[in-house]
Amino acid sequence: LGGQGREDLKKMMLKSGKTGDPVSFIFSDTQLKLEAFLEDINNLLNNGEVPNLFAPDETEGIIGELRPQCKELGITSPTGIFGWFVERVKNNLHICLCMSPIGDGLRTRLRQFPSLINCCTIDWFHEWPPDALDAVAGNFLERMELTSAGEGVVDKLTQVCVNIQQTVIDATAKYKAELRRMNYVTPPLYLRLLQTFKSVMESKRGEVSAVKKRYDVGLDKLLNTAEQVATMQAELEALKPQLIVKSAEADEMMVVIQRDQAEADKTKAIVEKEEAECKVQADEAGELKASCEADLAEAMPALNSALKALKGLSKNDIIELKGMKTPPAGVKLTMETVCHLKGVKPAKVPAPDGKGKVDDYWEPSKRMMNDTGFLNSLFDYDKDNISDEIIEKLRPYMDLEEFTPERVGKGSIAAKGLCSWVRAMFVYNKVAKVVEPKRIALRGAEETLAKAEKTLAEKKAMLAEVVQKLQSLTDAFDKTIAEKTSLEAQVDDCEKKLDRAQRLISGLGGEKSRWTDRSTELGEDLENLTGDIIIAAGVCTYLGPFTAAYRATLIQQWSDHVRSLDIKCSPKFQLRSTLGDEVVIRKWGVDGLPSDSFSVDNAIILETSEQWPLMIDPQGQANKWVRNKEAESAIRVVKLTESDFMRTLENAVNFGTPVLCENVGEELDPALEPLLLKQVFDSGGVQSIRLGDADVQYSPKFRFYITTKLSNPHYTPEVATKVVLLNFTITPEGLEEQLLGIVVKKERPELEEQKSQLIVESASNAAALQRLEDKILHLLSTATGNILDDEELINTLQESKVKSTEIQEKVKIAERTEAAIDDTRAKYTPCAFRSSLLFFCVSELANIDSMYQWSMPWYTNLFIRAIGENAAKRETPPQSDKMDERLQDLNDHFTLLLYRQICRSLFEKHKLLFSCLLCVRVMQGDKLLDGDEWRFLLTGAVSLGDGAPNPHADWLPQKAWLDLEGLNKLPSLAGITKSVTNAGDLWREYYDAAEPQDASLPQGWDDRLAPVQKLLVLRCLRPDKCVPGIQIFVTAQIGKEFLEPPLFDIEGTFEESGPDKPLVFILSPGSDPVQALLKFAEQRGELQRLQSISLGQGQGQFAEKMISEAVNVGGWVVLQNCHLAESWMPTLEKITEETTIDRAHVDYRLWLTSAPSPKFPQVVLQNGIKMTQEPPKGLKANISGSYTTISDAYFEECSKPEVLKKLVTGLFFFHASIQERRKFGPLGWNIAYEFNQSDLRICVRQLQMYLNEFEEVPYKALSYMAGELNYGGRVTDDKDRRCIMNILSDFYTPDILRDNYRFAPEAPAYYAPPTDGSLEDFQEYVRSLPINDPPEVFGLHNNAEISCARAEAFELFATLLSLQPRTGGGGGTSPEELVQGVAKDIESKVPEPWAIDDVMEKYPTEYLESMNTVLVQELTRYNKLLSIIRSSLSNIQKAIKGLVVMSSDLEEVFNSIFNNQVPGMWAGKAYPSLKPLGSWVVNLMERVRFFQDWIDNGKPSLFWVSGFFFTQSFITGTRQNFARKHGVAIDRLNFHYTVMSHIDAKKGSPPPEEGCYIYGLYLDGCRWDSQREVLGESEPKVLYSEVPVIWLKPTTMAEPDVGVYESPVYRTSARKGTLSTTGHSTNFVLFIMMPSDKPQKHWIKRGVAMLCALDD
């Protein structure tokens, strides 16, 4: 949800508040696009409304609509109405929030938005318990058709499903613990397992059954054909004699038929002649008849119309007509004509003029109409025989205008019809007069025709008799011929069937045994189908994110469990065999899918799963394969960072185009959710899906692929359940195959080309063979009836078999050729194996620093380069017999080239580590390194102090002896402790040697041990020399050149770059590569075209403009401090990806500088060229660099140049000194500060300025400005501030002006040279300084070098340990056995928690005895620690046995114990400690014994101050006792410290009257001189010395500040902590004044402090 979320909230509030409808708002955090939206939800939960959600006009509208309802309730004010609206919202709006607890998101949101807790009911959905899993699976499986799998199979499969889920949960925990990879097992995955099983089972069962049926049908057809052959041969022999008889009969009958046929032909000719004459007569009669009918056709329309008009008249119409008194003239005319036709006489009536009489037809007419049959008489009128007289009477009327139907109809409707009838009679008679002669002629013609036809009929009868006779003969002949043809057809059919049968048997006979075997295999597959499919469903559902080893382990577990339940499954389950198609798999290989089984399984999971795949693809293997696989479908490639990716996606969904979304991060865009969940719906009969705000038509052809380049992404369960996660990280086997192809292609290109062609041909041949076999089986299975009847089918089968045989021959030839090629290629396998091994070695570096990343293309290009370089210097041809020598040479060359390429990208502290890692991986690949020995080197021994006593405690440290005892348990070093015990003097010489790594081991051990085993001994006795020891080890194994990293070479690096390859400077504190870059740009003539910008707030747009210009016209762009612009990094990634050689100017280069940052684009790191340039190491290099920042003019511009030369030299030494002190760890600084050149530059300017402004040198002002402000401004620890001011006092002092002044008396080579020299003289002096700086020059003891070396060694070991997979070594003891043994041992030693109530009863709270309260508080703290230790140890042992689930907390405990580290679960409840696990447990037991002795025997007389959980409470209790006893304010009290050297802490002593005695402290950086009772210098190689008992005596007197050293006391040697409310570090305890005959400055520079506990 983003900006549109507010609109949705409005709609919901209006619906629930205005209409009062119940509304549920379900909101998941995956929909959250803007965190600010949670603020609205927070307000909604808290108040029922969101401030300013509605605009004023919207609020008025709500109030207006609700006013009538509120008026009835008595609410009239606008505020009250809106309040009532809010109340309705509260009552009707139900908010359901779905939040994931993974990561820090939920925790942060709960803190920011308290209503999420206060106003919500929290329902935490835990993982489903086994009984729930059982119920769900049982209910689901019962609805499936599984009866064929046997009885009780549903219950068994339910157990399998539950077991799969539980084992994956356990494996996920182990996966996280060992490989630090996150995976989640959720209920949706369990449902997916069941659904996958159902869908795959149904499809696979149908598929296997259909294929088996086709093979069975094919076999049946072959068997039936063989059986029919013998039958057909017998039939053929019986049919041949019958065929001969029928042929003779047919010949005889043919003669008779030919004779009779001639007679019939004569008769037929006569009949045909007479028939022609008859036809002519018939044609003439027909013409006459047609003429008559044509004439009649003229009169018939009028007649018919008249009759129709008569039909329309009714009786009433006639009555109406009769009833006319004075009819119109037209009516009267009509009736006259009717009377004429009917023959009615007129009546005589007087004439109108009175002169005589005239005829009148009206009255007769009326009488005529009175007749009831009047109308019928008209219908029946004999129209064909009207006399001429009547016609003549009617003729005058026809021309009268009044005598027309229209005119007559005006007077009477009835008269109109009668008029039409009369006129029709007249016209008809006229036509009949013409037709009558024709009728007479027609009658004559018809009589003549009848006579001719009679004669013709007689002739035809004669002909019929002849024909009938002939037909009888013909029928007999045809029957004979038919019988003959039938016999011939039967014979031919038999012969053809025999031929087809022979061809079919000979063609497919060879397939019979293979088809039989295949049918049997398919039958077994059907039996094993249930077990195989449930395992396959588990693989497809759960195992996508896992590596190959984990997959194999889980599959084996599932297979064993399935078989234990008597469910049949394949003896050796393979996903490829169960769900794979070999033809398709070969096609995948051609498309670029690695051939190893891991990658093939990934592809099968991808194709089988119903979810879209999200592929973890750091090397781009899946990306390449998908692009090739979908190339024919015009795949679209998008990134989530592209502005138009949604538009591209919509078009692809609409048109069914595949889409590859690459380079996604750990979060997916919420807009993809409908697509990932496949939320397709029907819209108007069309499948649609909603993307963003639009409904898009969904094409079923659409496919969606997602890839990420992140090597170890952490996808939340919300993401993981929407996709199928696939770990496409390249496997060693897959990479080895690819590299083998590369080396063979370069060394023997003809072989690799032939191999590539064979792969393509094999895939094509296999596909063709499969198609032909499918076609053959399909034809056989679909054939109906007798297969031998289908000639086309037999021909098709034969052609298919011929092609199949040809292809099989090609396949055999190809297999032989491929085998020969593979034999030759196999000789290069050692080279590919080594190179594959080294790639994973390089990949591990990303776990050390996120900037250490290289791409697969970069690696392969480097490999190709190494092959080319090696071939160029080689004299022997590739085909020579010195293969082993050449391959070793190639391996050595590539390993060294890789080392040098990688080293230029590494910080100095990691270069030796990489050399060691490289060496170890090579040895592991060659099986030359024992896993247990390697792990011992990294972790040391796990000892709980139960071994034999130290035989040489006077010189051999206890920790060294315990490590030797652990070393003694390794088979190769068994007896080492006995040797040390018996030959102590010889071993002491080795221990005391200045360079023990170069010395020989005594008593023959030097000859017996390999270099790595000697390194183990060195680790035990002299860990401070492990770094040079590792150098010797690396030199012995792979060569000295692997300890010689290349120097910084910006020019050489530039030559390897290109427009598409950014150059990245990885920054370290104090480094500034830009100056070197500018100088290089000037040398190349690019300074004028160089644009530089320091990234930060709002600088991204300017950087984009610079890059755009340089890409087009050339030039260099320098982007500094990329780590400060994390939000712009995705844009940088997009720019670099879009910049290709084709698009960019040839002179364009992009230079980047960045400190290590996880947000730096991975693509840039992998494809770019990385370099590191660190500030100079050592005083000499540092000071030399400082001198380059000034010139002679700097001195000339000063009024006191001689003083300035001295002081600036001192300042340079000071700057170098405080930087170099960092390497000594806590002895140098409590906190490692990042002093840099800017601090120095300001001090240099101030120094010149102050000397110019003041007559006297203002040493205090200069010291304050430098020590307190410029450098001191970075210092946060007060003890460090004290140290820096004391160091500065050696350089900003008047003594520095003396030529004989030395900065450190123990190091006379370091001083400020005489002032009469030039700047060049000063620089020459610096060049004469020693390369290695003695610790004394920093004011440190020589032992500081040992501390520094030990810290460096242990940091190296810890880093190497972090790179190891958390599994066992190569020894006999498994990790589980080792951890269980240690856990059991620790559990037996750790006591039950104390009963606090009993202790409080014995030591109640007393006013004058604060120690009782201290005791109870300490025991309470220890009880929490002891409880968590005991419970976790018990649970870890149960988890190892499989009795409880291995939770994430228990995994951490398991791994910590295995690595000899204190589990974080314990450390969180424990006191600060840096000890390894064994020493930590021993120390814990000592603490427990101390307090148990206190409980049993009362308050001790001597307090072991190191044993307290919270030491400050003990110190406060001591002061409080004194204050209460003497009535003194506690804040006025100080301690007076007295060292009681005469008291033996082990023997004890009576308690003092005031205060207390303490012991258990250690001095770091010096020792206690018991003879002189003052602090003294440390003994050689003795880093820590125990402090005698000290009397802490409370007093109100001021502490002495003369003759003492104010020594800080720390809990651990780390010294640093977080700043507490006291103003001190949480690691700090208190200051103790120790007697000293030297000034405090001496010990401050030494870094002297007291520690409560050591590290071992």
Side-chain angles (χ1 to χ4, degrees), residues 594-731:
S595 59
D596 58 288
S597 60
F598 180 75
S599 300
V600 172
D601 285 355
N602 277 337
I604 293 172
I605 295 172
L606 182 149
E607 294 293 332
T608 304
S609 178
E610 295 182 0
Q611 283 70 33
W612 301 124
L614 196 169
M615 294 166 274
I616 302 168
D617 185 33
Q619 291 84 31
Q621 303 287 311
N623 191 299
K624 173 186 173 184
W625 170 60
V626 169
R627 285 172 182 252
N628 293 336
K629 174 175 172 283
E630 299 289 359
E632 295 180 359
S633 301
I635 187 170
R636 301 296 302 273
V637 181
V638 298
K639 297 181 180 66
L640 294 181
T641 54
E642 294 176 357
S643 58
D644 61 342
F645 94 93
M646 280 303 293
R647 188 182 302 111
T648 303
L649 205 55
E650 289 174 7
N651 291 334
V653 169
N654 193 7
F655 296 110
T657 306
V659 171
L660 170 61
C661 183
E662 62 181 10
N663 297 355
V664 301
E666 292 186 341
E667 295 180 0
L668 300 182
D669 195 309
L672 292 176
E673 183 166 342
L675 199 61
L676 298 179
L677 297 178
K678 297 187 178 180
Q679 294 175 339
V680 181
F681 58 90
D682 188 81
S683 176
V686 176
Q687 292 289 300
S688 301
I689 192 168
R690 189 164 187 82
L691 293 179
D693 299 331
D695 289 342
V696 182
Q697 185 173 336
Y698 186 87
S699 170
K701 294 181 180 180
F702 171 74
R703 291 182 297 283
F704 191 43
Y705 305 91
I706 310 173
T707 64
T708 177
K709 277 189 169 293
L710 300 176
S711 57
N712 186 12
H714 179 186
Y715 288 109
T716 62
E718 291 76 24
V719 174
T721 54
K722 294 171 188 170
V723 299
V724 54
L725 279 174
L726 290 173
N727 187 348
F728 258 96
T729 303
I730 193 166
T731 62

Side-chain angles (χ1 to χ4, degrees), residues 645-826:
F645 94 93
M646 280 303 293
R647 188 182 302 111
T648 303
L649 205 55
E650 289 174 7
N651 291 334
V653 169
N654 193 7
F655 296 110
T657 306
V659 171
L660 170 61
C661 183
E662 62 181 10
N663 297 355
V664 301
E666 292 186 341
E667 295 180 0
L668 300 182
D669 195 309
L672 292 176
E673 183 166 342
L675 199 61
L676 298 179
L677 297 178
K678 297 187 178 180
Q679 294 175 339
V680 181
F681 58 90
D682 188 81
S683 176
V686 176
Q687 292 289 300
S688 301
I689 192 168
R690 189 164 187 82
L691 293 179
D693 299 331
D695 289 342
V696 182
Q697 185 173 336
Y698 186 87
S699 170
K701 294 181 180 180
F702 171 74
R703 291 182 297 283
F704 191 43
Y705 305 91
I706 310 173
T707 64
T708 177
K709 277 189 169 293
L710 300 176
S711 57
N712 186 12
H714 179 186
Y715 288 109
T716 62
E718 291 76 24
V719 174
T721 54
K722 294 171 188 170
V723 299
V724 54
L725 279 174
L726 290 173
N727 187 348
F728 258 96
T729 303
I730 193 166
T731 62
E733 296 80 9
L735 179 57
E736 183 180 331
E737 180 64 27
Q738 292 183 45
L739 294 176
L740 180 61
I742 290 173
V743 69
V744 174
K745 184 177 182 180
K746 289 296 177 181
E747 291 274 305
R748 300 286 299 276
E750 75 286 353
L751 279 182
E752 192 57 24
E753 183 179 355
Q754 198 173 0
K755 171 74 173 178
S756 300
Q757 290 176 351
L758 281 174
I759 291 174
V760 176
E761 287 178 8
S762 297
S764 174
N765 289 338
L769 273 175
Q770 187 64 49
R771 286 195 300 270
L772 287 171
E773 182 172 282
D774 289 344
K775 181 179 180 181
I776 291 170
L777 290 172
H778 175 73
L779 290 172
L780 288 174
S781 60
T782 56
T784 57
N786 191 337
I787 191 174
L788 299 178
D789 291 336
D790 194 336
E791 174 70 19
E792 182 181 356
L793 172 62
I794 297 298
N795 291 335
T796 304
L797 288 174
Q798 190 174 21
E799 290 172 7
S800 299
K801 181 57 186 175
V802 170
K803 291 180 182 178
S804 174
T805 304
E806 291 176 0
I807 294 174
Q808 285 177 346
E809 289 299 319
K810 290 181 181 178
V811 169
K812 290 178 181 178
I813 295 171
E815 287 175 351
R816 288 194 295 269
T817 307
E818 188 172 8
I821 294 173
D822 287 343
D823 287 342
T824 306
R825 291 175 88 245

Side-chain angles (χ1 to χ4, degrees), residues 1501-1519:
S1501 56
L1502 282 77
F1503 288 92
W1504 184 35
V1505 71
S1506 302
F1508 286 96
F1509 217 108
F1510 187 53
T1511 314
Q1512 281 85 350
S1513 69
F1514 162 70
I1515 294 170
T1516 302
T1518 303
R1519 283 177 173 162

Side-chain angles (χ1 to χ4, degrees), residues 10-45:
K10 281 184 185 180
K11 293 177 185 176
M12 290 185 289
M13 291 184 68
L14 290 173
K15 187 172 183 180
S16 58
K18 279 171 57 177
T19 62
D21 295 336
V23 177
S24 289
F25 173 40
I26 301 176
F27 176 65
S28 169
D29 56 359
T30 58
Q31 299 169 284
L32 191 63
K33 205 167 186 180
L34 298 174
E35 287 287 333
F37 186 73
L38 278 178
E39 179 67 35
D40 293 341
I41 293 181
N42 184 67
N43 289 322
L44 194 60
L45 290 168

Side-chain angles (χ1 to χ4, degrees), residues 38-299:
L38 278 178
E39 179 67 35
D40 293 341
I41 293 181
N42 184 67
N43 289 322
L44 194 60
L45 290 168
N46 196 28
N47 307 319
E49 63 174 321
V50 179
N52 302 318
L53 179 65
F54 294 104
D57 58 328
E58 292 174 328
T59 305
E60 290 175 8
I62 293 171
I63 293 171
E65 288 188 42
L66 296 180
R67 193 181 299 278
Q69 299 179 53
C70 291
K71 190 174 182 180
E72 296 177 3
L73 301 172
I75 304 171
T76 56
S77 68
T79 305
I81 294 173
F82 193 77
W84 186 74
F85 166 75
V86 172
E87 284 300 317
R88 290 187 78 181
V89 171
K90 288 182 180 179
N91 293 332
N92 293 320
L93 180 59
H94 184 61
I95 301 176
C96 301
L97 302 177
C98 304
M99 299 283 187
S100 171
I102 304 300
D104 297 330
L106 179 60
R107 183 185 301 108
T108 303
R109 289 164 183 163
L110 293 180
R111 288 173 179 165
Q112 291 177 337
F113 309 109
S115 293
L116 297 180
I117 292 180
N118 300 335
C119 302
C120 292
T121 300
I122 297 177
D123 189 0
W124 193 290
F125 284 82
H126 295 276
E127 62 185 33
W128 287 358
D131 55 343
L133 298 173
D134 187 283
V136 170
N139 186 44
F140 185 90
L141 295 171
E142 282 176 355
R143 299 196 296 269
M144 288 182 62
E145 176 55 48
L146 296 170
T147 54
S148 60
E151 294 184 4
V153 71
V154 171
D155 293 336
K156 294 176 182 178
L157 286 175
T158 300
Q159 295 179 48
V160 173
C161 293
V162 175
N163 174 260
I164 288 175
Q165 176 93 349
Q166 296 293 343
T167 52
V168 175
I169 290 174
D170 295 342
T172 295
K174 187 178 179 184
Y175 196 48
K176 176 185 174 185
E178 293 185 352
L179 301 183
R180 306 163 187 84
R181 302 182 77 94
M182 297 298 298
N183 182 47
Y184 295 99
V185 184
T186 57
L189 283 181
Y190 188 67
L191 299 177
R192 188 190 297 179
L193 166 71
L194 298 172
Q195 187 59 46
T196 303
F197 172 68
K198 178 183 178 182
S199 59
V200 175
M201 184 70 181
E202 290 174 351
S203 64
K204 203 66 182 175
R205 182 162 50 192
E207 177 188 331
V208 175
S209 298
V211 174
K212 184 177 187 307
K213 182 180 178 182
R214 283 161 61 186
Y215 278 111
D216 291 342
V217 169
L219 288 169
D220 287 342
K221 299 283 184 179
L222 289 178
L223 184 63
N224 290 338
T225 300
E227 292 175 352
Q228 290 179 37
V229 169
T231 305
M232 287 187 292
Q233 287 177 337
E235 289 178 1
L236 186 60
E237 293 299 322
L239 288 172
K240 286 182 177 179
Q242 299 178 32
L243 181 60
I244 296 171
V245 172
K246 288 296 178 183
S247 296
E249 292 178 357
D251 293 341
E252 294 174 359
M253 293 181 69
M254 180 56 71
V255 175
V256 177
I257 290 172
Q258 289 175 349
R259 185 184 64 238
D260 292 344
Q261 183 68 45
E263 296 178 1
D265 288 343
K266 293 178 182 178
T267 305
K268 184 178 179 183
I270 296 170
V271 171
E272 287 176 349
K273 180 179 178 183
E274 292 183 359
E275 186 176 10
E277 294 173 353
C278 285
K279 187 176 184 304
V280 171
Q281 294 174 356
D283 290 344
E284 292 175 352
E287 288 176 0
L288 284 173
K289 184 176 181 181
S291 176
C292 292
E293 290 174 348
D295 292 338
L296 287 173
E298 294 181 12

Side-chain angles (χ1 to χ4, degrees), residues 165-445:
Q165 176 93 349
Q166 296 293 343
T167 52
V168 175
I169 290 174
D170 295 342
T172 295
K174 187 178 179 184
Y175 196 48
K176 176 185 174 185
E178 293 185 352
L179 301 183
R180 306 163 187 84
R181 302 182 77 94
M182 297 298 298
N183 182 47
Y184 295 99
V185 184
T186 57
L189 283 181
Y190 188 67
L191 299 177
R192 188 190 297 179
L193 166 71
L194 298 172
Q195 187 59 46
T196 303
F197 172 68
K198 178 183 178 182
S199 59
V200 175
M201 184 70 181
E202 290 174 351
S203 64
K204 203 66 182 175
R205 182 162 50 192
E207 177 188 331
V208 175
S209 298
V211 174
K212 184 177 187 307
K213 182 180 178 182
R214 283 161 61 186
Y215 278 111
D216 291 342
V217 169
L219 288 169
D220 287 342
K221 299 283 184 179
L222 289 178
L223 184 63
N224 290 338
T225 300
E227 292 175 352
Q228 290 179 37
V229 169
T231 305
M232 287 187 292
Q233 287 177 337
E235 289 178 1
L236 186 60
E237 293 299 322
L239 288 172
K240 286 182 177 179
Q242 299 178 32
L243 181 60
I244 296 171
V245 172
K246 288 296 178 183
S247 296
E249 292 178 357
D251 293 341
E252 294 174 359
M253 293 181 69
M254 180 56 71
V255 175
V256 177
I257 290 172
Q258 289 175 349
R259 185 184 64 238
D260 292 344
Q261 183 68 45
E263 296 178 1
D265 288 343
K266 293 178 182 178
T267 305
K268 184 178 179 183
I270 296 170
V271 171
E272 287 176 349
K273 180 179 178 183
E274 292 183 359
E275 186 176 10
E277 294 173 353
C278 285
K279 187 176 184 304
V280 171
Q281 294 174 356
D283 290 344
E284 292 175 352
E287 288 176 0
L288 284 173
K289 184 176 181 181
S291 176
C292 292
E293 290 174 348
D295 292 338
L296 287 173
E298 294 181 12
M300 292 309 292
L303 178 63
N304 291 336
S305 175
L307 293 175
K308 183 178 180 182
L310 290 177
K311 288 180 181 178
L313 297 178
S314 65
K315 186 177 181 181
N316 291 333
D317 294 333
I318 302 299
I319 292 172
E320 179 189 353
L321 182 61
K322 288 190 301 182
M324 289 184 178
K325 300 298 183 182
T326 55
V331 174
K332 292 180 68 175
L333 289 174
T334 299
M335 295 314 299
E336 288 179 13
T337 57
V338 172
C339 289
H340 287 316
L341 285 169
K342 294 282 286 182
V344 177
K345 300 295 183 181
K348 296 292 185 177
V349 295
D353 55 3
K355 296 179 180 180
K357 292 187 176 182
V358 294
D359 292 339
D360 178 46
Y361 284 91
W362 179 246
E363 287 299 328
S365 298
K366 288 168 67 177
R367 288 192 297 272
M368 178 180 62
M369 287 187 287
N370 284 333
D371 184 2
T372 55
F374 172 67
L375 287 177
N376 289 332
S377 67
L378 299 181
F379 283 112
D380 298 335
Y381 189 79
D382 186 8
K383 58 184 178 293
D384 292 322
N385 297 301
I386 302 174
S387 65
D388 293 338
E389 181 185 356
I390 293 173
I391 292 302
E392 289 300 324
K393 289 179 180 180
L394 293 179
R395 194 179 300 278
Y397 295 94
M398 296 299 118
D399 298 328
L400 296 177
E401 291 183 1
E402 292 84 357
F403 189 66
T404 62
E406 291 78 11
R407 294 285 291 274
V408 173
K410 293 178 180 179
S412 170
I413 295 298
K416 177 183 178 182
L418 294 171
C419 176
S420 297
W421 179 77
V422 171
R423 295 184 73 90
M425 292 297 107
F426 183 81
V427 172
Y428 185 84
N429 181 74
K430 180 182 177 182
V431 173
K433 294 295 184 184
V434 177
V435 171
E436 187 60 28
K438 293 181 180 180
R439 284 181 174 173
I440 296 171
L442 177 63
R443 281 196 291 272

